[in-house]
Amino acid sequence: MSKRDDPDLETLAWQSLAVRGGIHRTPEGEHSEPIFTTSSYVFDSAEHAAARFAGDEPGNVYSRYTNPTVRSFEERLAALEGAEACVATASGMSAILSTCMALLKAGDHVICSRDVFGTTRTLFAKYLANFGVEVTFVPLLPLSGWRDALRENTRLLYLETPSNPLCEVADLRAMANIAGNGGALLVVDNCFCTPALQRPLDFGADVVIHSATKFLDGQGRCVGGAVLGSAQLMDEVTGFLRSCGPTMSAFNAWVFLKGLETLSLRMTAHSAAALELATWLESQVGVEQVFYAGLDTHPGHGLAAQQQSAFGGVLSFRVRGGREEAWRVIDATRLMSLTANLGDAKTTIVHPATTTHSRISAQERQEAGITDNLIRVAVGLEDVNDLKADLARGLALLD
Ligand SMILES: *Cc1c(COP(=O)(O)O)cnc(C)c1O
């Protein structure tokens, strides 16, 4: 390998790492990263095989354990999050499950934000509870609720910031202190910001979770996830993956590896368009309230400006009226995709109360602010004027 294949990564800036991190060029001299679609690996001799299996010699044995394309993705994402280690997983949910299975045992207590991705709630409330893990859900804010919920056996605090869909912002440094003082780990799902906008480990979080399905891919092609943190914690998570199997495929790792190269450019564009759309929405007669941390009217604005480099691509707003009016605005769109997914080049629009948040009770929805007149938009990469026109059509029906 020539020196050109092995740049001194320590000296490189973030965007250079996004393009150059985790490259292990083969003797073929390929420029783009190869996809290693192989389940197993061959050895030179019986002795060689024995050494690999014993771990005396580093190298690949089987792709549930290690795969070179997956390793490239893990190394690149670790560099971008400022993490010692990264473990790629089959999906965002399996990243969360693997973290829990590796770090928790029966009798442990978890505090989870009420304002997390719906399936995350199900994972904690139903499946972990079945295995004797106690879970308390608290509103993301105020943070004193977390302190009050701490117990002797609290092992893990779990949150997303900014929250979905109301963009509430939690102080990561304060949360890391609450967790640390309680002898617990702080786990942050960084799916909405990505390391292009926010690096929770820099503020003292212990573990970062990703659904790579969203902005890391950025074009809605693959399902995948990742867990990041100290080498010690990630060894535990790796152990779970090797024995239980929710690993990432080489092809998906390659798609995400390519996604990381343009991540920062995309997040900047998503954020700029979302801010412009949120500002425009605030001036519309048919709109009652807009939720986007980039607006200085948003209570989380100052904090988000400190711990994020931009405000991200997801916003929500309440129309004047109720469910009927919200549906009318959604149904009048022609450009935006009506889907619950987000983090795509294509803008998506959804009615949270009857889709993403339909499985929680009406009272829980009320408490969480998921009213019937709320609409969420995950701003893509189209021209923002076309997005305004798409929403204007429906809003005009309300005036
Ligand atoms: C989508 C999502 C997940 C789950 O990820 P999958 O890749 O769909 O399994 C977890 N957290 C957040 C915030 C998400 O948006």
Side-chain angles (χ1 to χ4, degrees):
M1 186 162 45
S2 80
K3 231 170 145 187
R4 295 194 141 273
D5 296 332
D6 195 17
D8 187 2
L9 295 180
E10 303 287 304
T11 67
L12 295 182
W14 194 96
Q15 179 55 34
S16 305
L17 291 170
V19 177
R20 296 281 176 180
I23 293 177
H24 299 278
R25 201 160 280 144
T26 75
E28 298 293 344
E30 71 283 349
H31 190 209
S32 177
E33 297 79 354
I35 310 176
F36 285 89
T37 49
T38 181
S39 49
S40 67
Y41 304 83
V42 294
F43 311 106
D44 299 334
S45 64
E47 189 185 358
H48 186 212
R52 282 275 175 88
F53 270 83
D56 295 339
E57 186 201 284
N60 303 299
V61 170
Y62 187 56
S63 279
R64 171 157 40 77
Y65 281 40
T66 54
N67 173 282
T69 314
V70 175
R71 180 172 61 130
S72 288
F73 166 70
E74 290 172 336
E75 288 180 4
R76 189 173 289 180
L77 184 59
L80 299 182
E81 280 285 6
E84 266 176 29
C86 171
V87 185
T89 58
S91 65
M93 290 320 301
S94 56
I96 302 170
L97 177 68
S98 302
T99 303
C100 291
M101 295 302 274
L103 304 180
L104 297 172
K105 60 181 187 321
D108 284 344
H109 175 239
V110 171
I111 311 174
C112 181
S113 166
R114 176 195 68 187
D115 307 293
V116 289
F117 185 65
T119 316
T120 304
R121 251 182 106 127
T122 309
L123 186 154
F124 280 110
K126 182 166 177 195
Y127 294 99
L128 285 187
N130 278 348
F131 287 89
V133 173
E134 296 178 277
V135 185
T136 306
F137 290 96
V138 297
L140 181 63
L141 302 178
L143 299 191
S144 57
W146 294 80
R147 213 175 288 118
D148 296 343
L150 278 172
R151 296 187 201 161
E152 212 38 24
N153 57 340
T154 305
R155 174 81 176 122
L156 208 140
L157 272 53
Y158 191 99
L159 64 85
E160 293 168 17
T161 179
S163 70
N164 171 21
L166 296 183
C167 302
E168 288 187 321
V169 183
D171 185 331
L172 287 171
R173 208 179 291 282
M175 279 302 303
N177 284 336
I178 293 173
N181 291 338
L185 299 170
L186 177 62
V187 181
V188 178
D189 181 333
N190 201 27
C191 173
F192 273 45
C193 277
T194 82
L197 304 187
Q198 169 176 277
R199 302 207 314 176
L201 300 173
D202 292 349
F203 296 97
D206 299 287
V207 175
V208 165
I209 299 281
H210 276 289
S211 166
T213 316
K214 313 294 167 54
F215 292 105
L216 301 191
D217 174 344
Q219 295 178 52
R221 298 162 292 192
C222 291
V223 174
V227 189
L228 300 106
S230 69
Q232 193 198 345
L233 288 176
M234 292 311 103
D235 273 353
E236 301 287 331
V237 178
T238 299
F240 174 78
L241 253 83
R242 289 181 175 195
S243 298
C244 300
T247 46
M248 179 180 281
S249 81
F251 177 78
N252 288 5
W254 181 81
V255 171
F256 298 135
L257 193 58
K258 290 286 141 187
L260 292 180
E261 295 181 1
T262 56
L263 178 64
S264 177
L265 305 176
R266 289 185 284 107
M267 292 312 290
T268 303
H270 284 299
S271 300
L275 180 58
E276 186 172 338
L277 192 66
T279 306
W280 175 82
L281 279 166
E282 269 199 322
S283 70
Q284 300 304 298
V285 208
V287 174
E288 187 181 282
Q289 195 175 358
V290 183
F291 302 91
Y292 184 62
L295 296 171
D296 53 19
T297 50
H298 191 283
H301 177 70
L303 183 57
Q306 283 170 33
Q307 64 188 24
Q308 302 172 209
S309 61
F311 303 98
V314 183
L315 62 89
S316 62
F317 61 100
R318 290 193 182 127
V319 295
R320 290 192 195 285
R323 190 185 85 172
E324 193 190 324
E325 285 74 15
W327 280 16
R328 214 184 293 161
V329 170
I330 291 169
D331 287 339
T333 59
R334 296 281 172 269
L335 178 68
M336 298 182 181
S337 310
L338 177 43
T339 168
N341 199 27
L342 58 94
D344 197 295
K346 297 178 175 68
T347 297
T348 66
I349 187 165
V350 76
H351 183 243
T354 50
T355 60
T356 55
H357 292 69
S358 60
R359 280 180 218 99
I360 61 175
S361 72
Q363 192 195 331
E364 282 178 305
R365 267 200 300 281
Q366 200 60 36
E367 283 166 10
I370 316 294
T371 50
D372 282 352
N373 60 350
L374 186 76
I375 295 173
R376 189 193 74 190
V377 175
V379 180
L381 300 175
E382 303 94 339
D383 189 297
V384 69
N385 289 320
D386 289 332
L387 301 177
K388 289 180 194 169
D390 208 30
L391 290 173
R393 204 176 303 114
L395 289 171
L397 305 173
L398 309 185
D399 294 349

